[in-house]
Amino acid sequence: MGAPPVAAKIGDAELHYDGRVFKLPVVEGTEHERALDISRLRDQTGLVTLDYGYKNTGSCQSEITYLDGEQGVLRYRGYPVEELAEKSRFVEVAYLLVHGRLPRKEEQQKFSDLLTRHSMIHEDMTQFFKNYPEHSHPMAILSAMVVSLSSFYPEMSQDNVDEELTHIDITTTRLLSKLRTVAAFSYKKSIGEPFVYPRHDLKYCANFLNMMFSSPVRPYEVNPVLERALNVLLILHADHEQNCSTSAVRAVGSAKVNLYAAVTAGICALWGPLHGGANQEVIEMLEEIQKMGGDVKKVIERAKDKKDPFRLYGFGHRVYKNYDPRARIIKKTCMEVLNELKIKDPLLDIAMELEECVQTDPYFVERKLYPNVDFYSGIIYRAMGIPVSMFTVMFAIGRLPGWIAQWKESQEDPDFKIQRPRQIYTGPTVRHYVPLEERG
Ligand code: SDX
């Protein structure tokens, strides 16, 4: 793969410091985003930058996903996410993210066949499930199983990471296919039902729903409305540039561990309630409001109270200071699914009332806090029969192609470096050891 295009230098910024003037290059990307390139700042000036949570810091140049938080724009490899959600399927979008273009017919077929062929997990892995503690969170199980894949598939081992890049088709499909199987098995484990194995006659999303909900005593008919809705949800979760979990995958991957270990880091980061775990928190918050008689104003006041650590889950975003385009599509899909299934979910009414109240509340308006991807997704998962504890696992299934694409891009970057940020030390200055008996 040829070296990726780099952001063009468009001029210099001047830094006046310590009686001198330093020139720092300014670069511009294909969507005219501009950055101050500080790669040589410390060599030139002795300064490092300090940027809590990397709010203003770009960690890399990337060709995968473009988003504009102010305009609410999101595109995967240039394709608007709205078009992909409407016209594509998750497997095709996974191919697009990893390979940089939509597959031709024969490539799509080969990818789909590989997904089918690699859908089983090693039978010995099922023993893990049997001995895992009864009420384990499915994200704990998922992370343990994914890192164990590197033991069951040693060709992904530590010492030949570059090999993986040549096997990326096998690696990608193996991981995409098996993560889905592991997710369904962890659900079956949590409800004490026997595992349902993947079927070769079902497509990706239908296979997942079948593994989740069929059983030897309860045949399950995949509802095409739910299959379509699941494709849309997974597409909308597939990538989101340098979010917390993707940054974890890149950081861990920069130490040249195998892909399974890097993805496991992403799973663990995604688990957090401020990140992918928010979809579970949203439903628990809506259920709490329902229990308290449906009064949304109380949670809104709590969310605004600086003394209260409670946050309005499903609202706000590090980048989107406008309506998250994914939330808009998920809300529409949510209403379509509930209408078509004739489901009346009181949590949807509460969610819509909450959104309405927030939209006119100065605290949220001033801070540009809008519904994000996690606000309505849980209501669709509920309609599918997926339990709240599995919601973040669903996010992980969707995000996996993005993690793989971002890992691959970072490994192929000609400027590849291990990630190692600097700091500003604020601890004690030098002092010397005092023996115990002299410490007073
Ligand atoms: C995801 O990065 C990604 O792309 C993530 C993601 C992806 O696809 O990978 O989009 C997925 O993680 C979506 C976000 C899911 N998380 C939640 O819904 C949790 C609730 N949201 C917040 O915790 C918060 O909005 C974050 C974590 C999402 C963003 O936090 P930031 O960017 O660090 O914002 P901030 O904490 O600096 O907030 C700015 C102000 C603060 O108030 P002031 O100090 O200015 O008075 O807004 C307030 C915050 O207290 N605020 C909220 C709030 N979110 C921000 N107040 C109440 N409720 C909230 N939800």
Side-chain angles (χ1 to χ4, degrees):
M1 188 150 178
V6 289
K9 178 179 173 186
I10 57 164
D12 289 308
E14 284 188 353
L15 174 66
H16 293 248
Y17 168 67
D18 204 19
R20 297 166 61 194
V21 179
F22 299 92
K23 286 188 183 303
L24 294 169
V26 176
V27 295
E28 184 175 85
T30 46
E31 288 290 348
H32 310 297
E33 297 164 301
R34 292 182 174 184
L36 188 63
D37 181 341
I38 58 167
S39 320
R40 293 186 29 70
L41 178 69
R42 192 163 186 274
D43 301 344
Q44 287 175 281
T45 69
L47 294 169
V48 294
T49 54
L50 196 54
D51 183 18
Y52 281 85
Y54 304 125
K55 281 193 167 188
N56 308 286
T57 298
S59 61
C60 61
Q61 299 186 34
S62 177
E63 301 168 62
I64 299 169
T65 292
Y66 171 68
L67 66 83
D68 178 329
E70 281 65 37
Q71 303 303 318
V73 170
L74 176 60
R75 299 189 204 122
Y76 297 156
R77 300 285 189 179
Y79 294 94
V81 76
E82 293 80 0
E83 286 180 33
L84 294 171
E86 191 195 331
K87 299 174 182 160
S88 186
R89 296 177 69 83
F90 176 60
V91 165
E92 185 176 66
V93 169
Y95 188 100
L96 168 67
L97 285 168
V98 173
H99 295 279
R101 58 179 174 76
L102 290 169
R104 287 186 292 275
K105 215 171 167 63
E106 69 281 2
E107 290 167 326
Q108 174 82 6
Q109 190 52 55
K110 180 176 168 243
F111 194 53
S112 185
D113 294 346
L114 278 171
L115 281 171
T116 304
R117 188 149 25 106
H118 292 295
S119 53
M120 284 288 284
I121 59 172
H122 194 293
E123 196 57 18
D124 290 356
M125 281 192 90
T126 57
Q127 297 313 315
F128 273 77
F129 287 97
K130 293 200 170 47
N131 301 317
Y132 224 82
E134 191 66 30
H135 301 294
S136 308
H137 194 290
M139 285 297 274
I141 300 176
L142 194 70
S143 56
M145 295 301 155
V146 168
V147 75
S148 308
L149 286 171
S150 57
S151 309
F152 286 94
Y153 302 95
E155 69 279 19
M156 300 287 295
S157 67
Q158 208 87 357
D159 54 7
N160 60 359
V161 162
D162 296 331
E163 284 276 293
E164 289 170 40
L165 293 171
T166 44
H167 297 312
I168 194 70
D169 261 343
I170 300 280
T171 314
T172 306
T173 39
R174 177 173 281 152
L175 203 39
L176 276 170
S177 201
K178 292 181 186 329
L179 189 104
R180 171 196 48 179
T181 305
V182 167
F185 281 19
S186 56
Y187 170 63
K188 285 299 195 189
K189 154 85 187 175
S190 71
I191 57 172
E193 282 194 8
F195 298 140
V196 171
Y197 284 69
R199 282 173 35 184
H200 283 193
D201 62 320
L202 293 176
K203 288 197 173 305
Y204 192 90
C205 287
N207 224 335
F208 174 74
L209 291 170
N210 186 61
M211 286 193 275
M212 286 283 285
F213 300 119
S214 70
S215 88
V217 294
R218 189 187 57 244
Y220 174 77
E221 190 68 27
V222 176
N223 181 323
V225 171
L226 296 185
E227 183 188 3
R228 180 68 211 141
L230 184 54
N231 266 290
V232 170
L233 282 167
L234 296 181
I235 288 170
L236 293 174
H237 285 80
D239 192 56
H240 212 238
E241 54 138 274
Q242 305 311 316
N243 60 84
C244 179
S245 53
T246 297
S247 299
V249 170
R250 279 181 172 255
V252 170
S254 76
K256 283 287 186 187
V257 288
N258 64 68
L259 175 58
Y260 293 117
V263 164
T264 304
I267 292 171
C268 294
L270 189 72
W271 191 356
L274 295 187
H275 190 15
N279 56 17
Q280 177 173 346
E281 298 288 344
V282 166
I283 292 297
E284 287 164 2
M285 175 181 75
L286 295 174
E287 285 172 339
E288 196 52 35
I289 295 171
Q290 188 185 27
K291 251 191 273 162
M292 295 187 313
D295 176 7
V296 298
K297 293 195 174 27
K298 231 185 224 112
V299 279
I300 289 179
E301 288 317 308
R302 276 196 63 196
K304 291 156 60 174
D305 178 356
K306 291 298 168 197
K307 291 190 287 303
D308 188 333
F310 173 78
R311 287 233 164 143
L312 211 54
Y313 288 100
F315 283 87
H317 198 276
R318 170 59 56 81
V319 182
Y320 287 125
K321 300 307 170 194
N322 199 325
Y323 211 104
D324 184 331
R326 302 167 297 177
R328 204 187 299 283
I329 301 168
I330 293 174
K331 180 179 176 181
K332 177 170 158 293
T333 306
C334 180
M335 296 164 97
E336 284 163 6
V337 167
L338 295 189
N339 289 340
E340 288 185 37
L341 299 181
K342 298 188 181 26
I343 295 175
K344 185 106 187 70
D345 186 343
L347 297 193
L348 177 61
D349 301 332
I350 295 174
M352 290 169 69
E353 188 192 341
L354 187 54
E355 181 187 347
E356 217 172 288
C357 290
V358 163
Q359 263 166 2
T360 52
D361 185 303
Y363 172 93
F364 294 90
V365 174
E366 282 152 25
R367 292 168 177 80
K368 299 183 180 168
L369 304 176
Y370 293 86
N372 59 46
V373 68
D374 292 310
F375 190 55
Y376 286 102
S377 52
I379 297 173
I380 304 180
Y381 291 139
R382 268 162 61 96
M384 290 177 185
I386 295 174
V388 174
S389 62
M390 284 286 290
F391 285 6
T392 311
V393 170
M394 299 309 296
F395 196 145
I397 295 173
R399 185 53 51 90
L400 182 59
W403 286 334
I404 293 172
Q406 298 272 353
W407 169 84
K408 180 171 178 281
E409 183 177 73
S410 67
Q411 298 294 319
E412 292 172 340
D413 191 327
D415 290 336
F416 176 90
K417 282 189 180 48
I418 187 168
Q419 291 201 17
R420 202 268 183 231
R422 306 299 295 240
Q423 63 161 29
I424 295 296
Y425 175 72
T426 55
T429 52
V430 66
R431 52 186 175 167
H432 300 288
Y433 184 79
V434 175
L436 183 59
E437 53 282 1
E438 294 172 24
R439 283 181 210 154

